[in-house]
Amino acid sequence: MKNLVVICLLFFPIVSISQLIKIKGYAPEYIGDEVSLYRFEDYVTQTEARIAQGHVGRDSVFTLNLFFNSTEKVKLKVGNNFAYFYLQPDSDYEIYFPGKNKYDPLHPEGSEVEILFRSLPQSDINYKILEFDRWLGAFISDNFHVKNMKQSQFAQKLDSLKMNMEKYYSTDTATFFKTTIIFRLAELDEASYFGSRNEFEKFDHYLLNSTVHYSNDAYMDYIKKFYKDFFERTSMELNNRVYLAILKSSPTLLFNALGQDYRMKNLRLRELIMIKSLGEIFYNPDYPQTNVTKMLDSLANHALFEKNKVIAQKLKLKLTDLAPGSPAPRFSLLNLKGEEFSLSKFPGNYKYVQFTTAESVIGKNEMELMKPLYQKYNQYVEFITVFMGDKDEDKIPNLQNWNDVNWTLSTPKNEQDLKQQFNLRTYPHYVLIDPDGFIVESPALRPSPDGKYETIDKTFFEIKKVMKLLPE
């Protein structure tokens, strides 16, 4: 019988069991709206996955029940607004989800609000982080203004804060919370002051022997800042090796080259930062995008660590699929006189870009639908039509016979690059870009109704509301 028990344990390993989490919320300003709860699949790409959903009832109440097996930061979206908090397995949460602060600017993509908890136990991760934030916030407000004037005094007070926190939390065994404390305090070391650690000392103290905490937001925020634009900050010799590795589309050469830097001693972290850095240079014209894509594709299949494979795959998809919030690719267009321009010609407004062809019947019909939209929203949105696939340049100027088309008509300077950058396969295709050059939607809604009877008019209306409230 004992042998049987051993065999069973060998063939049926212990696995992490998900535990039930219950969330009850009150959202009186969102009656009838959809409620969604998202977790972050990774913090490099900020990819979100919906893990629960519901609706706000007539009594302003919503409930979410889900099984979860780890402590993580999550995003709760109600209607068009959202809030962040933490989930802890086998916990119940009762929260109030407020409306948007009337003094905050409107955003078409929604506004962040701060939820309120009811009867939160002291053992809950949210209680502990809120307590820690109050303590840290009080220290910053009392002392940060003297950082440059009395540097040695600031250093002493910061050391004292760290020692007091270490003593206070010494009996807490929760790994997620302990990691959060370490790396939230580590961010204070990023402030330059007398006696502060240099970059190599920070690496030794915080990262050299640390586990890579993929699901801890404080840890991932720290390493993203610590290694920001890392390829550009290396020595000239190492930078040359990095550049040659990318020209050869070789993750192995790049991984070995980065190993020359002391801050890359941790192999798992080195591979993760290598993937992150490839994403950072994707839109840098000094590096061939196709080579970066090939390297990410290779890492998605052959990375040393499984989690890094997943991140490489998601990063490749994000860069090539134009996820909302990602930088819009840079590209050049030609107006009908052959003069070159880019979207930087239109500062301050959103850009609604229509990719079509001169022969496209749907494209022509939708240009007719764009005319009243242009009349209503041209103060807030720039309209640009880009004609693709026309080798006979005489076809395009004939469209100038449409005297009531007052927006920009153009052709691509490099059609193949543009097709690859925006993943253009069928026409017409629409992209909406915000005033700062980030993707809002790709593909964007069309002037004609989709399967849900929605058009781009609704989005333009929200943009108009936001832009009208912005200061001149």
Side-chain angles (χ1 to χ4, degrees):
M1 180 63 70
K2 289 181 180 179
N3 290 338
L4 179 60
V5 171
V6 172
I7 291 171
C8 287
L9 288 174
L10 288 174
F11 282 93
F12 298 97
I14 298 174
V15 295
S16 178
I17 300 175
S18 296
Q19 299 177 47
L20 181 64
I21 295 176
K22 299 178 181 179
I23 301 171
K24 182 178 182 180
Y26 302 89
E29 297 190 41
Y30 302 87
I31 291 173
D33 283 343
E34 185 177 66
V35 180
S36 297
L37 187 69
Y38 300 87
R39 69 178 292 265
F40 291 94
E41 293 189 332
D42 78 88
Y43 284 98
V44 174
T45 65
Q46 295 291 115
T47 303
E48 300 170 358
R50 187 159 64 179
I51 54 177
Q53 64 185 56
H55 283 85
V56 181
R58 293 181 180 178
D59 56 357
S60 79
V61 175
F62 65 87
T63 57
L64 300 174
N65 297 321
L66 67 152
F67 288 94
F68 213 62
N69 63 0
S70 62
T71 301
E72 291 184 27
K73 184 178 182 179
V74 292
K75 176 181 178 180
L76 178 64
K77 187 171 184 180
V78 182
N80 199 38
N81 297 329
F82 58 92
Y84 298 104
F85 69 107
Y86 294 85
L87 285 188
Q88 182 172 292
D90 198 22
S91 299
D92 294 339
Y93 296 102
E94 195 168 352
I95 64 175
Y96 171 74
F97 195 98
K100 184 190 78 67
N101 186 323
K102 64 180 181 180
Y103 298 108
D104 290 342
L106 287 171
H107 300 287
E109 64 273 17
S111 298
E112 183 176 354
V113 300
E114 187 173 338
I115 60 174
L116 301 176
F117 292 95
R118 181 181 178 186
S119 303
L120 197 61
Q122 294 185 16
S123 60
D124 185 81
I125 182 66
N126 292 283
Y127 184 97
K128 292 190 284 188
I129 287 180
L130 287 169
E131 180 186 55
F132 170 79
D133 283 344
R134 283 194 296 270
W135 191 354
L136 188 60
F139 170 81
I140 291 173
S141 63
D142 291 342
N143 298 286
F144 222 68
H145 65 283
V146 301
K147 176 177 68 70
N148 294 323
M149 295 181 291
K150 301 177 181 179
Q151 295 192 9
S152 59
Q153 181 181 336
F154 176 80
Q156 290 173 0
K157 289 189 175 183
L158 181 57
D159 286 342
S160 178
L161 172 75
K162 291 177 179 178
M163 287 188 291
N164 289 337
M165 284 187 165
E166 184 178 354
K167 182 178 180 180
Y168 182 78
Y169 293 116
S170 60
T171 58
D172 195 311
T173 58
T175 301
F176 187 95
F177 181 57
K178 299 280 271 192
T179 302
T180 298
I181 293 173
I182 290 169
F183 288 98
R184 291 285 295 279
L185 289 173
E187 289 201 19
L188 290 181
D189 271 350
E190 294 301 301
S192 178
Y193 61 90
F194 177 79
S196 61
R197 295 182 174 98
N198 64 40
E199 196 163 357
F200 295 99
E201 289 173 328
K202 292 173 193 173
F203 173 77
D204 279 342
H205 187 76
Y206 295 113
L207 298 174
L208 177 60
N209 298 312
S210 172
T211 301
V212 176
H213 300 277
Y214 292 101
S215 298
N216 186 287
D217 57 302
Y219 171 86
M220 292 301 294
D221 285 346
Y222 181 76
I223 66 163
K224 286 195 291 185
K225 292 174 183 175
F226 186 85
Y227 291 102
K228 182 174 173 57
D229 299 323
F230 188 75
F231 287 175
E232 307 300 319
R233 296 190 291 111
T234 57
S235 66
M236 184 177 294
E237 178 187 354
L238 179 52
N239 187 266
N240 287 336
R241 290 190 61 185
V242 166
Y243 186 70
L244 289 173
I246 295 171
L247 288 183
K248 294 182 179 180
S249 304
S250 173
T252 302
L253 288 177
L254 181 56
F255 186 81
N256 292 338
L258 293 174
Q260 284 189 321
D261 193 294
Y262 180 75
R263 294 162 293 182
M264 289 288 187
K265 286 189 68 174
N266 184 316
L267 298 184
R268 183 187 291 268
L269 183 58
R270 185 198 308 176
E271 189 173 67
L272 174 62
I273 299 305
M274 178 174 74
I275 293 167
K276 169 187 171 294
S277 299
L278 285 170
E280 288 178 335
I281 65 164
F282 186 76
Y283 293 113
N284 187 326
D286 293 335
Y287 298 90
Q289 286 189 344
T290 52
N291 295 43
V292 175
T293 303
K294 287 178 184 177
M295 295 174 76
L296 289 173
D297 193 46
S298 177
L299 287 162
N301 291 290
H302 306 295
L304 297 175
F305 302 94
E306 288 299 317
K307 184 65 176 178
N308 291 342
K309 289 181 180 180
V310 175
I311 293 173
Q313 176 65 20
K314 291 184 181 301
L315 182 57
K316 179 197 169 188
L317 290 174
K318 179 176 182 178
L319 293 171
T320 56
D321 285 2
L322 302 167
S326 62
R330 300 172 186 171
F331 59 96
S332 294
L333 299 172
L334 302 173
N335 64 23
L336 299 187
K337 295 180 181 179
E339 299 165 335
E340 183 176 345
F341 69 97
S342 67
L343 296 191
S344 61
K345 175 184 176 182
F346 311 104
N349 280 359
Y350 284 74
K351 289 88 175 171
Y352 186 57
V353 186
Q354 177 198 42
F355 298 97
T356 187
T357 66
E359 300 95 331
S360 172
V361 175
I362 297 175
K364 290 179 182 178
N365 291 339
E366 291 192 335
M367 286 182 77
E368 291 289 343
L369 296 175
M370 286 167 66
K371 292 176 185 177
L373 293 175
Y374 177 81
Q375 294 300 323
K376 288 170 63 177
Y377 300 111
N378 70 82
Q379 281 184 271
Y380 315 100
V381 181
E382 296 289 345
F383 289 58
I384 301 106
T385 293
V386 184
F387 292 102
M388 309 288 290
D390 289 297
K391 302 305 179 184
D392 182 0
E393 296 180 357
D394 291 335
K395 291 180 181 178
I396 298 171
N398 291 335
L399 292 175
Q400 287 186 331
N401 294 330
W402 297 9
N403 295 324
D404 48 353
V405 174
N406 296 315
W407 62 85
T408 302
L409 304 180
S410 65
T411 59
K413 182 180 180 183
N414 190 318
E415 183 165 315
Q416 291 305 314
D417 285 353
L418 200 56
K419 283 183 177 179
Q420 184 177 9
Q421 287 172 319
F422 285 96
N423 197 23
L424 300 175
R425 297 177 182 175
T426 59
Y427 303 104
H429 181 103
Y430 298 86
V431 175
L432 183 61
I433 300 171
D434 75 14
D436 296 316
F438 292 90
I439 296 292
V440 178
E441 293 178 348
S442 181
L445 289 170
R446 300 164 71 141
S448 58
D450 62 7
K452 298 179 180 179
Y453 300 99
E454 293 180 339
T455 73
I456 193 64
D457 184 274
K458 180 180 178 182
T459 304
F460 287 168
F461 179 76
E462 293 297 328
I463 288 172
K464 179 180 178 179
K465 285 200 304 183
V466 173
M467 301 289 278
K468 288 181 71 174
L469 291 176
L470 293 178
E472 294 293 330

